[in-house]
Amino acid sequence: MDSFTFLSSTTATAAATAPVTKQNVSLGLLSLILLVFIGRRVFCVYFGPLAKFPGPKLAAATLWYEFYYDVILKGRYTFKIKELHEKYGMH
């Protein structure tokens, strides 16, 4: 079996088992966007400019940390920052 026949048969099999539909394309696009978002956050936290600063990684990666203390706990974020400075120090 030559390489062209092998590639043709595997491509035909893959195409027969996974038809291209709007739902599959949407799911693939959503997965790609999610993967890029998570990849960028991981890069920023561990390899980017914020990597050298100590503190909670969730706070460095997203705004959910601030949202939780400001919205859910009704404006406690400034007090949490003070606690974090006492725990980790001023860099």
Side-chain angles (χ1 to χ4, degrees):
M1 178 183 289
D2 61 0
S3 62
F4 180 74
T5 307
F6 177 73
L7 289 175
S8 298
S9 64
T10 56
T11 306
T13 305
T17 58
V20 178
T21 63
K22 278 187 173 182
Q23 185 177 5
N24 288 346
V25 171
S26 298
L27 185 60
L29 191 58
L30 181 64
S31 299
L32 179 65
I33 291 170
L34 186 63
L35 184 66
V36 168
F37 176 78
I38 291 171
R40 288 182 58 139
R41 295 297 106 207
V42 168
F43 175 79
C44 287
V45 170
Y46 292 104
F47 305 109
L50 292 177
K52 64 182 178 181
F53 294 101
K57 297 301 182 190
L58 181 64
T62 68
L63 293 175
W64 285 106
Y65 199 80
E66 182 177 354
F67 172 81
Y68 175 75
Y69 282 98
D70 272 346
V71 176
I72 307 298
L73 297 181
K74 298 179 177 33
R76 303 291 304 167
Y77 187 62
T78 54
F79 300 107
K80 184 61 178 177
I81 290 175
K82 182 179 178 189
E83 289 176 23
L84 292 173
H85 280 151
E86 290 171 1
K87 181 177 181 179
Y88 296 107
M90 298 285 284
H91 196 280

